[in-house]
């Protein structure tokens, strides 16, 4: 009986259609790029190396549509990690070699979360999370440190729910 059930399911699985697609988003000049997050509207975010060898955060709505966040991060090296459904992006830029967590908004603004921080994710309510030696939550313009586990000396947050 089990063999018969398996054989009955096999044709359905074999004829299933793909529900995803893969697109080449392009690059910012070097041919090198990495998409790290995508939202429900298809906005992909990540980083790409430009023709000067500088890595910049990007957003892309499809093939060949990369836009560079470097102007919002003073032209510094930057990386994007997460994006919410409104198009707000969590990431990091580097100023004089020091990391600064960043939230880039869909309207073209940027919140600097301070030196030594990295923003890794953002939810649809605009709450971001990341790390600066300790995991933190960023909400309503304020950073709340989450601390470390007992006996630990380092933590970071990589996801936040609603």
């Amino acid at each position: 009986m089990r063999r018969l059930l398996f054989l009955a399911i096999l044709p359905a699985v074999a004829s299933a259609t793909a529900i995803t697609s893969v697109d080449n988003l392009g690059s910012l000049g070097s041919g090198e790029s990495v998409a790290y997050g995508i939202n429900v509207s298809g906005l992909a975010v990540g980083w790409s190396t430009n023709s000067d060898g500088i890595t910049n955060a990007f957003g892309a709505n499809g093939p060949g549509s990369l836009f560079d966040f470097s102007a919002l991060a003073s032209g510094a090296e930057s990386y994007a990690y997460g994006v919410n459904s409104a198009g707000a992006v969590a990431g990091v830029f580097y100023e004089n070699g020091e990391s600064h967590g960043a939230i880039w908004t869909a309207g073209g603004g940027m919140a600097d979360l301070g030196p030594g921080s990295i923003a890794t994710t953002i939810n649809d309510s605009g709450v971001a999370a990341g790390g600066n030696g300790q995991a933190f939550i960023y909400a309503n313009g304020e950073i709340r440190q989450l601390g470390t586990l007992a006996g630990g000396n380092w933590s970071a947050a990589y996801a936040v729910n609603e």
Side-chain angles (χ1 to χ4, degrees), residues 2-17:
R2 287 186 185 169
R3 279 191 204 152
L4 191 54
L5 180 59
F6 174 74
L7 292 175
I9 293 173
L10 187 59
V13 172
S15 67
T17 58

Side-chain angles (χ1 to χ4, degrees), residues 53-57 70 73-79 92-95 104:
I54 299 170
T55 302
N56 291 324
S70 64
S74 304
E77 187 170 298
S78 57
Y79 300 81
V92 62
F93 71 95
Y94 288 83
E95 186 173 273
W104 292 283

Side-chain angles (χ1 to χ4, degrees), residues 133-152:
Q134 291 187 43
F136 67 79
I137 297 290
Y138 173 80
N140 301 317
E142 300 287 324
I143 291 180
R144 186 177 81 210
Q145 301 295 333
L146 301 178
T148 60
L149 294 174

Side-chain angles (χ1 to χ4, degrees), residues 110-160:
M110 184 189 80
D112 180 346
L113 305 187
S117 64
I118 297 174
T120 57
T121 187
I122 187 166
N123 70 14
D124 286 345
S125 300
V127 176
N132 57 3
Q134 291 187 43
F136 67 79
I137 297 290
Y138 173 80
N140 301 317
E142 300 287 324
I143 291 180
R144 186 177 81 210
Q145 301 295 333
L146 301 178
T148 60
L149 294 174
N153 59 10
W154 185 90
S155 66
Y158 292 95
V160 60

Side-chain angles (χ1 to χ4, degrees), residues 17 19 32 37 47 68 71 73-74 91 99 127:
T17 58
I19 57 171
E32 182 177 286
W47 59 86
D68 187 345
S74 304
S99 66
V127 176

